[in-house]
Amino acid sequence: MLLQRDKSLLLMVDFQAGLLPVIDGGQEAMNEAAWLGEMACLLEVPVWLTEQSPEKLGGSSASLLACLNDYRLWQKQHFGAMAETEFREALNATGKTQIVLCGTEAHICVLQTGLGLLEAGYELYWLSDASASRRPQEAAFARERACASGAVAVTADMVAYEWLHRCDTALFKEAHQRFLKPRASRPVRFY
């Protein structure tokens, strides 16, 4: 199934200042998430971020937040965000059915959040180029497990072009000028 921006929500899990330095490919993953987050803001797709125990791991990366002109921030103690009652109820209230998921660590908080989303009946899109762990093989296994459970592996470009849907609109032209042209020069790691 194609992603539709009116049904989508971009969920970024735990891109936190205290965690990113130990994540293999963490900066690259966050850059891809930030790029798609900017695109989501332009296309009016909600962007939500979570923080795991920010008093210990620090808050969300300042450079990521600087890219987003609109987002909702959630703090959590459970590894899986769906275990947080307020988060789960607010997500349900949005009416969004397609969740594009990324973050760190892929094999812990991202995976547990993803499995919770699948269990709750959401369509889950695993943003492969924006999900990372301390050890790359754990991120790869997390994606494999999520996809075996019903998630669909995607890239930021796939998501952006599906959200845009067509090339003959003013919105596409604006996105192309602001975001799409420089994409070819950006290195991307896939887990």
Side-chain angles (χ1 to χ4, degrees):
M1 176 176 290
L2 290 173
L3 283 155
Q4 298 173 47
R5 66 178 178 257
D6 62 328
K7 295 182 179 180
S8 294
L9 183 142
L10 175 57
L11 178 55
M12 301 181 187
V13 175
D14 305 351
F15 281 114
Q16 292 170 252
L19 184 58
L20 282 169
V22 300
I23 301 297
D24 185 74
Q27 188 63 49
E28 293 92 340
M30 190 191 69
N31 290 345
E32 288 300 303
W35 179 85
L36 190 59
E38 287 181 280
M39 179 70 73
C41 290
L42 173 69
L43 299 176
E44 299 181 351
V45 173
V47 178
W48 286 14
L49 296 91
T50 67
E51 295 175 344
Q52 180 76 31
S53 302
E55 67 281 359
K56 296 176 186 171
L57 296 174
S60 295
S61 166
S63 62
L64 173 61
L65 296 179
C67 294
L68 306 173
N69 62 19
D70 189 25
Y71 60 88
R72 186 162 181 185
L73 183 62
W74 297 89
Q75 294 183 349
K76 62 185 179 64
Q77 296 302 313
H78 292 91
F79 297 122
M82 290 297 283
E84 302 284 346
T85 303
E86 186 178 349
F87 176 91
R88 187 177 61 250
E89 290 173 353
L91 182 58
N92 186 52
T94 68
K96 302 298 182 181
T97 58
Q98 298 179 328
I99 309 301
V100 178
L101 179 68
C102 62
T104 64
E105 285 198 69
H107 68 291
I108 303 172
C109 293
V110 183
L111 180 62
Q112 289 186 37
T113 296
L115 294 175
L117 289 162
L118 288 166
E119 187 177 324
Y122 291 93
E123 293 175 39
L124 181 64
Y125 296 84
W126 184 276
L127 195 54
S128 300
D129 47 353
S131 298
S133 291
R134 286 176 234 211
R135 298 186 300 177
Q137 66 272 27
E138 294 200 286
F141 284 131
R143 180 182 66 191
E144 183 180 311
R145 183 173 172 196
C147 290
S149 299
V152 177
V154 293
T155 66
D157 272 4
M158 287 179 190
V159 174
Y161 280 92
E162 288 178 31
W163 282 345
L164 286 164
H165 189 61
R166 55 189 301 159
C167 67
D168 60 349
T169 65
L171 195 54
F172 175 82
K173 290 174 185 163
E174 182 178 353
H176 187 262
Q177 289 300 315
R178 290 178 56 188
F179 304 114
L180 301 178
K181 282 186 176 179
R183 293 291 289 162
S185 64
R186 295 176 63 158
V188 177
R189 298 173 72 167
F190 297 95
Y191 295 108

